[in-house]
Amino acid sequence: MNETKTFSLDYEDNLDIAWCPGCGNFGILNLLKKTLEEIENLNPENFVLVSGIGQAAKIPHYFKTNFFNGLHGRALPAATAIKATRPDLTVIAESGEGDMYGEGGNHFIHTIRRNINITNIVHDNMIYGLTKGQASPTTQTGMTTPVQVNGVILKPFNPIAVAIATGATFVARGSVTDPKTTTEIIKEAIKHPGYALVDIYQPCVTFNKINTFKWFKDHTYKLDEKYDYTNKEEAIKLALKEDEFPLGIIYKNTERKPFDEQLSIYKNTKEPLYKRQRNLKRIEEFINSKK
């Protein structure tokens, strides 16, 4: 029996979803549900979605599974804690680019450094949509907003280049304009033993009139099958391109051990601590030795 069908697309169809009609988040929600359905032995009981604050961060509300919806920018530390204590679970941390790269920027860097075995999906629409259209970390230079009325003066944050440069072991970019490629990327990211970044382009149809569906189609291309994603130098070159953006796995290596495989408590078994037999005599001896 295939239990993966419990991630049914029919579930939650009658919910009042809090996104604008035409929002790119719908595309990510649909392709993520389809992707999860197709992953063998994955079901709501052994899966956790973690998010912070923002429109994208509402996505766990539309799944019947375990989820943690926390503070602004704090999805990654919560996901790290969950994976560290329950290495048997599949964990996805998911939020927008403001939550992950702005408020959560420091956590982004240190989650990469730890190489925690989670998938980090970032909805990247280049704007703060929940708070009505201020510049986000990835907003392009020159764009005018209700706050940056004379145009954004800063260069956009480059998550792909930063992730590769700081040691991420799986770095990819998808787009709702190419759901087939994005689905393949997410499957590979979930299978990857270590931290996996999947930055997904998706338009904010209400507050970003520049980076539209057409704009993302016109400014992205799918990486050739012959592209060698283990070549770090080539990956950095691709990441630094500012006019046309590649879709696919941009960089991957499996040489670094994930965080939980380096913890001594999981050296002999992956069984979570709370399930293990307690030896009260040894605990008592340890306490007494400290008196």
Side-chain angles (χ1 to χ4, degrees):
M1 178 180 175
N2 187 349
E3 296 182 347
T4 63
K5 293 301 179 186
T6 47
F7 281 111
S8 170
L9 288 173
D10 295 331
Y11 180 73
E12 312 283 26
D13 273 356
N14 295 323
L15 281 181
D16 181 16
I17 294 183
W19 294 328
C20 302
C23 175
N25 283 323
F26 285 103
I28 297 178
L29 174 64
N30 289 333
L31 71 86
L32 183 60
K33 284 188 172 182
K34 288 180 180 176
T35 303
L36 296 177
E37 283 181 349
E38 293 172 4
I39 295 177
E40 191 174 356
N41 297 323
L42 186 67
N43 57 62
E45 286 74 31
N46 61 18
F47 175 74
V48 187
L49 263 176
V50 186
S51 68
I53 296 294
Q55 291 289 17
K58 294 174 181 173
I59 203 165
H61 304 175
Y62 312 129
F63 281 88
K64 186 180 182 182
T65 189
N66 306 298
F67 77 88
F68 183 93
N69 191 193
L71 300 174
H72 210 350
R74 304 297 184 265
L76 289 174
T80 296
I82 291 168
K83 188 65 182 179
T85 53
R86 291 292 306 271
D88 54 320
L89 299 178
T90 297
V91 180
I92 291 180
E94 184 154 358
S95 279
E97 84 280 4
D99 192 55
M100 288 292 182
Y101 306 144
E103 286 80 1
N106 185 50
H107 299 303
F108 175 63
I109 293 171
H110 290 284
T111 304
I112 290 172
R113 189 168 64 87
R114 296 185 178 101
N115 198 28
I116 190 79
N117 191 8
I118 64 171
T119 300
N120 185 188
I121 295 176
V122 183
H123 301 215
D124 192 348
N125 59 12
M126 304 180 179
I127 203 77
Y128 278 104
L130 183 67
T131 46
K132 301 184 178 179
Q134 300 91 342
S136 80
T138 60
T139 300
Q140 294 187 312
T141 306
M143 180 176 174
T144 58
T145 78
V147 175
Q148 291 81 19
V149 294
N150 294 318
V152 174
I153 60 173
L154 305 178
K155 281 183 68 67
F157 179 72
N158 186 329
I160 303 297
V162 171
I164 297 170
T166 50
T169 54
F170 185 105
V171 182
R173 171 166 278 143
S175 172
V176 292
T177 59
D178 187 349
K180 185 173 183 294
T181 298
T182 307
T183 296
E184 293 168 357
I185 291 170
I186 294 174
K187 285 181 182 175
E188 291 301 313
I190 291 174
K191 287 193 295 185
H192 177 70
Y195 171 81
L197 171 66
V198 184
D199 185 88
I200 303 179
Y201 283 151
Q202 50 96 206
C204 172
V205 296
T206 300
F207 296 109
N208 187 341
K209 302 299 185 185
I210 295 176
N211 307 111
T212 61
F213 278 97
K214 184 177 184 308
W215 189 94
F216 285 120
K217 270 193 170 183
D218 291 344
H219 291 79
T220 58
Y221 67 96
K222 184 179 178 181
L223 283 169
D224 189 276
E225 291 181 357
K226 295 179 181 177
Y227 170 71
D228 179 11
Y229 51 62
T230 65
N231 186 326
K232 193 168 187 177
E233 184 177 348
E234 184 63 24
I236 288 286
K237 287 180 183 176
L238 279 179
L240 293 176
K241 293 182 69 172
E242 295 183 344
D243 51 350
E244 197 175 22
F245 305 99
L247 304 179
I249 300 172
I250 297 171
Y251 181 67
K252 177 181 175 181
N253 82 59
T254 55
E255 295 176 2
R256 287 182 62 201
K257 286 185 178 180
F259 181 74
D260 53 290
E261 286 190 15
Q262 300 180 65
L263 296 177
S264 59
I265 55 173
Y266 298 126
K267 184 177 181 180
N268 298 318
T269 175
K270 290 284 187 180
E271 187 175 42
L273 290 178
Y274 82 96
K275 288 185 176 180
R276 298 184 193 181
Q277 184 72 35
R278 287 175 296 175
N279 188 326
L280 296 179
K281 185 177 180 182
R282 289 189 62 185
I283 293 173
E284 183 179 2
E285 289 173 353
F286 175 77
I287 293 173
N288 289 335
S289 71
K290 302 299 178 185
K291 290 182 178 178

